């Protein structure tokens, strides 16, 4: 018995050491891309693109989803919008290189307030808020808490309403005291690295994952123990949060476009996207056939057109959607087991 316990203790210690070393390696490979913004006792990491002299769009603030960081939005959108608008790409509290802050940041409203504080620090008084997946819940919360700072909303495959069922077991495990930190510091990173490519492919399916997605957007950052646990807590808190807040979405009064795919295997579009279209007066819902969970990367041009529409341009989103669908019609990438 003593020998068994000793072996277990040595194994755990070895995994902890390996995780620390691998974390340093990941951080060296994907260093901060922007600046640290003090938002009142802690700092958020962000890439701020100043307003160009000939900007034709209002300021744009991008909010990434679960398991992500600001690169997931800056990689597809910055090249498309450079020179047209002031942009702010933010690592959500406790993700990427941002510090977590207090307990309030365990729910979307706290994170929305943190983003608002970062905007004010950079002199952004109002902006179109673009939220992908989990970022959609934060974008909606932002509009509720800071309507005067919200000039428009663009939701991309959002997660905003209560859904049937629960969440993946490792989220529930990781958020627990004692057991959660132990799991995050031992097994999460080695197990996660084996699923990085296949898991990302499943998020994109049926659309093919870009070959450079892992290296260009650094999803490995979420496998670091602190970020992994913050991500798990965020996801575990989402369902009770949106169950409480979704009835207030009817209070939102701002131009809104929602882009969603009929082949999204991550969120149930008929619950979240249709729910937003129902709840926000005047919201335009754009359904795309054969689109998975990544309209930010797969249909970036359509998302840009949605931003233009929200900004007041006369944009025919129906025609833009038809063009996007035509480009995806032959996609049949699977989800690796």
């Amino acid at each position: 018995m003593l020998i068994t316990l000793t072996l277990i203790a040595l194994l755990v210690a070895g995994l902890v050491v390996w995780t620390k070393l691998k974390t340093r390696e990941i951080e060296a490979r994907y260093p901060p891309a922007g600046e640290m913004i003090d938002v009142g006792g802690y700092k958020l990491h962000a890439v701020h693109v100043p307003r160009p002299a000939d900007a034709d769009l209002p300021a744009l603030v991008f909010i990434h989803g679960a398991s992500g960081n600001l690169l997931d939005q800056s990689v597809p959108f910055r090249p498309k919008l450079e020179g047209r608008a002031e942009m702010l790409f933010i690592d959500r509290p406790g993700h990427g290189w941002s510090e977590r802050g207090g307990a309030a940041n365990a729910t979307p409203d706290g994170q929305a307030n943190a983003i608002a504080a970062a905007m004010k620090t950079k002199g952004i008084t109002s902006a179109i808020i673009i939220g992908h997946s989990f970022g959609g819940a934060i974008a909606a919360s932002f509009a509720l808490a800071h309507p005067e700072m919200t000039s428009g909303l663009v939701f991309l495959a959002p997660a905003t309403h209560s859904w049937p069922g629960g969440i993946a077991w490792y989220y529930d495990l990781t958020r627990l005291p004692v057991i959660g930190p132990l799991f995050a510091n031992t097994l999460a990173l080695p197990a996660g690295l084996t699923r990085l490519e296949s898991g990302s492919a499943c998020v994109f399916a049926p659309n093919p994952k870009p070959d450079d997605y892992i290296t260009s957007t650094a999803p490995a950052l979420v496998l670091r123990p602190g970020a992994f646990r913050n991500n798990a807590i965020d996801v575990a808190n989402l369902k009770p949060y949106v169950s409480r807040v979704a009835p207030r979405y009817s209070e939102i009064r701002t131009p809104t476009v929602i882009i969603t795919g009929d082949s999204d295997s991550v969120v149930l579009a008929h619950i979240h996207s249709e729910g937003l279209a129902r709840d926000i007066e005047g919201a335009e819902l754009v359904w795309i056939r054969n689109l998975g969970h990544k309209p930010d990367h797969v249909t970036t041009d359509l998302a840009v057109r949605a931003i233009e529409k929200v900004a007041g341009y006369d944009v025919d989103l129906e025609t833009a959607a038809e063009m996007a669908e035509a480009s995806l019609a032959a996609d049949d990438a699977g989800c690796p087991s």
Side-chain angles (χ1 to χ4, degrees):
M1 182 66 174
L2 180 59
I3 294 176
T4 301
L5 291 175
T6 301
L7 290 174
I8 292 173
L10 289 173
L11 176 61
V12 169
L15 286 169
V16 168
V17 171
W18 186 90
T19 294
K20 287 183 180 295
L21 294 174
K22 198 66 177 179
T23 294
R24 292 175 186 170
E25 180 184 318
I26 291 170
E27 291 181 339
R29 188 181 307 154
Y30 306 111
E35 60 183 295
M36 301 301 292
I37 302 175
D38 192 324
V39 292
Y42 64 100
K43 295 180 180 180
L44 294 185
H45 174 240
V47 169
H48 177 235
V49 180
R51 180 176 176 82
D54 55 350
D56 68 321
L57 292 170
L60 308 174
V61 174
F62 294 85
I63 308 175
H64 66 81
S67 304
N69 62 80
L70 64 81
L71 293 174
D72 201 34
Q73 302 300 292
S74 65
V75 166
F77 284 111
R78 183 170 180 175
K80 299 283 186 179
L81 292 162
E82 192 94 48
R84 298 190 63 189
E86 180 176 17
M87 292 181 276
L88 191 65
F89 301 93
I90 297 183
D91 279 339
R92 297 194 286 106
H95 297 261
W97 286 96
S98 286
E99 297 170 356
R100 181 61 163 179
N105 288 338
T107 52
D109 52 351
Q111 296 193 22
N113 291 335
I115 291 169
M119 289 170 59
K120 292 175 182 176
T121 298
K122 301 308 295 183
I124 302 174
T125 56
S126 68
I128 295 174
I129 311 298
I130 302 100
H132 170 248
S133 193
F134 190 103
I138 298 172
S141 294
F142 188 99
L144 288 171
H146 306 281
E148 76 289 350
M149 298 181 69
T150 311
S151 58
L153 293 168
V154 175
F155 293 96
L156 306 173
T160 51
H161 290 69
S162 181
W163 63 92
I167 56 177
W169 63 268
Y170 49 84
Y171 290 132
D172 275 326
L173 178 67
T174 308
R175 66 170 174 161
L176 295 174
V178 184
I179 294 176
L182 179 62
F183 178 74
N185 281 278
T186 55
L187 297 175
L189 200 157
L193 287 175
T194 67
R195 290 284 299 167
L196 207 54
E197 289 283 351
S198 60
S200 296
C202 288
V203 173
F204 274 86
N207 316 116
K209 175 181 68 63
D211 291 339
D212 66 345
Y213 180 74
I214 300 298
T215 55
S216 65
T217 66
L221 286 172
V222 78
L223 298 177
R224 297 170 300 163
F228 192 83
R229 191 151 192 266
N230 291 333
N231 191 55
I233 291 170
D234 285 357
V235 173
N237 287 343
L238 183 60
K239 185 174 180 178
Y241 175 82
V242 295
S243 298
R244 183 175 73 254
V245 174
R248 294 189 55 207
Y249 292 161
S250 60
E251 300 173 22
I252 296 174
R253 295 286 188 271
T254 190
T256 299
V257 172
I258 307 143
I259 297 176
T260 197
D262 70 352
S263 300
D264 190 336
S265 63
V266 178
V267 301
L268 300 172
H270 70 279
I271 290 178
H272 303 281
S273 294
E274 288 189 352
L276 281 173
R278 177 194 65 233
D279 296 341
I280 301 176
E281 184 177 354
E284 183 171 357
L285 174 58
V286 182
W287 276 98
I288 303 298
R289 288 189 294 270
N290 209 40
L291 172 65
H293 191 58
K294 294 296 286 178
D296 45 352
H297 284 259
V298 177
T299 57
T300 314
D301 288 338
L302 174 61
V304 170
R305 297 295 280 163
I307 291 170
E308 293 170 343
K309 179 72 175 285
V310 166
Y313 281 86
D314 183 13
V315 174
D316 183 355
L317 283 181
E318 184 176 344
T319 298
E322 290 173 355
M323 294 175 62
E325 285 185 341
S327 70
L328 307 181
D331 286 359
D332 63 352
C335 176
S337 57

